[in-house]
Amino acid sequence: MTGTATGTAKAGSPLRIGNASGFYGDRFDAMREMLTGGDLDVLTGDYLAELTMLILARDRLKNPDAGYARTFLRQLEECLGLAHERGVRIVSNAGGLNPAGLADAVRKLAAEIGVPVRVAHVEGDDLTAAHPGALAAHAYLGGFGIAACLREGADVVVTGRVTDAALVTGPAAARFGWTPDDHDELAGAVIAGHVLECGTQATGGNYSFFRDGDVRHPGFPLAEIHADGSSVITKHPGTGGFVDTGTVTAQLLYETGGARYAGPDVTARLDTVRLTRDGTDRVRIDGVRGEAPPPVLKAGLNRLGGFRNEVVFVLTGLDIEAKAELVRAQMGEALAKSPPAEVRWDLVRTDRPDAGTEETASALLRLVVRDADEAKVGRALSGAAIELALASYPGFHVLSPPGKGSPYGVFEAAYVPQDAVDHTAVLHDGRRIPVPPPADTAPLTDVPEPPLPEPLPAGPTRRAPLGVVAGARSGDKGGNANVGVWAVSDPAWRWLAHHLTAERFRELIPEAAGLPVTRHVLPNLRALNFVVEGILGAGVAAQHRFDPQAKALGEWLRSRHLDIPEVLL
């Protein structure tokens, strides 16, 4: 297999990096679509998330040889030959908790199907032994281990826990000869990698203004990266979805915090990003400035948090509140006999008066219990709920039979010195190349808030949803959530920057009322980014709230009504 990641492409030509996976479970056919849809130099796949690491850890408990994304191997059965024919190199973090095991499995597969490829892997992220009680503890590595593998001729590189953007910075550093001191160039690649990492979220998927294009089957994105770190985000011709400054802005704001976007290779300045349209389905990213990375690496720790159980009672017709009060009292007596550590009730008013169907006449009363002792959330709870079947509110039934309870996970972030990991590129011939930590680092500090634009002149307002003048995208980082909000026009930005304060955010999102909320201002993107601490409890695996990853928190915010200047409407 020949590729262009190590500099064999025509001088001055961009490096074309595509993405074929945004998570473990993404569209299976995407790898084939990306290999056959147009020219590529490198194809990446992101399979890891906080929850995925816990899933893989539980797989490894059952089978020590497991711990990697098996879907990736099945995709290669169909596509490794295609990649070889087209000279496309493949870089993926599908190795999960066992990159060496996946690399061996890829070599075995390649031999079976007769495709001559050189397979390398990156290791050093696994810190589990240093964290007793953790099912998995892994540092987020950067891209220079990937770069070392590609420079030494690897055709397929699999990694464990690297940053999502490292799948792009690694090939770019290999192709253009960047060193750890090339902060601006690396930062540009980090931004391109952040846009690509969630796949079709950059091409109209999960997009506030999805009606602007046909997103029934969005194509996966690719980036044309240049030697100076600038890039163009696009997609293969003829594929679905669309790429514009809005889709790219939405993804740039996803799961970020302030103006400094820190990683193991570089700290990218989000407040320097410039987006310009470069033709149909093409958005240019340039102007990105980089700074030395922090002296520490983030590490994700996953452990068993305890056990949980859930019962959803269906309340239909009249007297919804009284029916809910009755069942709470009845279940309270049962719970008092052996109280779980956490008991949570939520009444979801999905009912309507004079409804035309039974379903739309019904509300849902959700009971969730958690405890370290499985017995306190198991059959005793389920039995108490079922025993009410003929002895509670009229029309009693539940959405599904209560179970015996199930384990849940807890995610914690920790930080270790850059030199505390043995970042290593393991080549196809068994050679091991150590990847040293960056010599230049800088502690992460906040950027002072930039000047706000001139406010709009006073004028008449009208009550309307925020989403009329702004888009949003939200996501999770451990127990915190972020909500990025961007204005659709310069006048809307002048209003949004002054009106949507952290205090107003808490008013619109009552769940955040008692929590720390930090607002970050990004004028280049006409955007505000809100970080809400603790709203997700102990992370997605703990299922703390109805939307455990805060995926729809931004859309809830857009649906809230404010007094918006009529000139914007």
Side-chain angles (χ1 to χ4, degrees):
M1 181 184 287
T2 58
T4 60
T6 57
T8 60
K10 182 179 178 181
S13 61
L15 175 67
R16 290 175 60 87
I17 302 181
N19 171 284
S21 176
F23 68 101
Y24 191 9
D26 209 342
R27 197 158 80 219
F28 185 86
D29 293 335
M31 185 178 288
R32 176 178 289 275
E33 292 170 10
M34 289 302 289
L35 288 170
T36 59
D39 292 335
L40 286 178
D41 299 312
V42 179
L43 183 60
T44 67
D46 179 10
Y47 292 78
L48 301 184
E50 293 169 1
L51 180 60
T52 312
M53 297 298 282
L54 179 63
I55 293 170
L56 294 176
R58 292 179 65 182
D59 287 347
R60 191 171 60 173
L61 287 176
K62 302 172 186 174
N63 177 5
D65 295 328
Y68 56 78
R70 290 167 290 183
T71 301
F72 174 75
L73 202 59
R74 299 206 323 270
Q75 288 172 306
L76 287 187
E77 289 182 37
E78 296 184 5
C79 298
L80 190 59
L82 279 173
H84 173 64
E85 292 169 9
R86 289 161 171 75
V88 178
R89 295 186 169 180
I90 295 175
V91 179
S92 174
N93 61 14
L97 278 61
N98 188 6
L102 178 57
D104 286 341
V106 174
R107 293 185 190 102
K108 181 180 178 181
L109 170 66
E112 290 174 353
I113 62 179
V115 179
V117 295
R118 292 162 292 193
V119 183
H121 74 274
V122 177
E123 59 185 40
D125 59 298
D126 193 345
L127 305 176
T128 307
H131 294 273
L135 292 177
H138 292 259
Y140 290 74
L141 302 181
F144 280 96
I146 295 169
C149 293
L150 293 172
R151 284 172 175 153
E152 294 295 325
D155 304 306
V156 178
V157 182
V158 295
T159 77
R161 179 75 275 187
V162 297
T163 65
D164 301 336
L167 302 177
V168 171
T169 60
R175 163 67 180 278
F176 299 117
W178 296 339
T179 71
D181 294 328
D182 292 319
H183 293 149
D184 289 346
E185 292 85 349
L186 288 167
V190 163
I191 294 301
H194 181 52
V195 174
L196 295 189
E197 70 185 50
C198 290
T200 54
Q201 279 197 171
T203 58
N206 298 357
Y207 181 52
S208 292
F209 305 107
F210 64 96
R211 291 183 295 179
D212 288 352
D214 184 354
V215 296
R216 288 175 295 177
H217 193 81
F220 276 69
L222 64 94
E224 300 170 355
I225 300 180
H226 295 265
D228 64 356
S230 65
S231 63
V232 172
I233 305 298
T234 185
K235 62 187 184 69
H236 283 325
T239 56
F242 60 102
V243 178
D244 64 19
T245 55
T247 66
V248 174
T249 297
Q251 180 56 27
L252 280 176
L253 295 172
Y254 182 64
E255 295 182 345
T256 59
R260 286 191 165 102
Y261 185 62
D265 296 323
V266 68
T267 294
R269 289 290 295 263
L270 286 173
D271 55 346
T272 63
V273 176
R274 290 196 305 255
L275 303 180
T276 53
R277 184 168 179 171
D278 193 53
T280 303
D281 291 322
R282 293 176 61 85
V283 172
R284 180 172 297 279
I285 302 176
D286 62 14
V288 184
R289 302 299 301 273
E291 301 169 344
V296 294
L297 296 175
K298 179 181 176 180
L301 279 59
N302 287 278
R303 60 179 175 81
L304 182 65
F307 298 86
R308 72 185 296 279
N309 205 346
E310 178 175 335
V311 186
V312 181
F313 302 90
V314 182
L315 316 175
T316 303
L318 304 177
D319 305 318
I320 295 295
E321 297 283 353
K323 290 172 179 174
E325 184 179 349
L326 173 59
V327 77
R328 280 195 188 106
Q330 291 176 312
M331 287 299 298
E333 292 180 8
L335 293 172
K337 296 175 183 177
S338 184
E342 181 181 347
V343 178
R344 176 167 176 164
W345 290 94
D346 290 295
L347 177 59
V348 184
R349 296 300 301 264
T350 53
D351 56 304
R352 306 174 196 166
D354 195 23
T357 67
E358 182 177 334
E359 187 172 7
T360 57
S362 300
L364 302 178
L365 179 63
R366 182 171 177 247
L367 167 63
V368 177
V369 295
R370 292 186 175 85
D371 200 282
D373 183 353
E374 185 176 7
K376 289 187 177 182
V377 302
R379 294 296 183 189
L381 172 77
S382 302
I386 293 305
E387 287 172 5
L388 296 178
L390 304 179
S392 189
Y393 59 87
F396 179 99
H397 65 287
V398 295
L399 277 188
S400 59
K404 62 181 181 179
S406 60
Y408 71 89
V410 170
F411 175 87
E412 299 175 20
Y415 294 88
V416 298
Q418 285 259 15
D419 60 3
V421 301
D422 296 320
H423 191 176
T424 305
V426 184
L427 306 183
H428 59 282
D429 56 9
R431 285 182 293 146
R432 300 175 65 85
I433 301 179
V435 180
D440 184 18
T441 62
L444 196 64
T445 59
D446 290 335
V447 174
E449 183 171 302
L452 298 180
E454 286 293 320
L456 281 182
T461 63
R462 192 190 326 153
R463 201 77 176 163
L466 174 63
V468 174
V469 297
R473 178 162 287 166
S474 55
D476 64 313
K477 282 293 184 184
N480 301 341
N482 95 287
V483 184
V485 185
W486 75 95
V488 298
S489 66
D490 287 336
W493 168 238
R494 292 171 61 188
W495 173 80
L496 185 74
H498 291 274
H499 195 77
L500 191 56
T501 62
E503 292 72 22
R504 181 59 54 84
F505 181 95
R506 289 189 184 94
E507 293 172 6
L508 298 173
I509 304 296
E511 282 185 67
L515 300 174
V517 176
T518 305
R519 185 181 96 148
H520 302 281
V521 181
L522 300 169
N524 277 14
L525 301 176
R526 296 191 308 218
L528 304 171
N529 195 23
F530 296 89
V531 178
V532 187
E533 297 180 32
I535 194 170
L536 303 180
V540 55
Q543 299 186 42
H544 178 74
R545 65 190 295 273
F546 169 68
D547 173 17
Q549 289 182 279
K551 295 294 188 183
L553 192 59
E555 286 301 296
W556 178 24
L557 179 67
R558 291 183 69 238
S559 74
R560 299 308 307 270
H561 287 222
L562 300 89
D563 295 321
I564 298 176
E566 287 191 354
V567 68
L568 301 179
L569 302 177

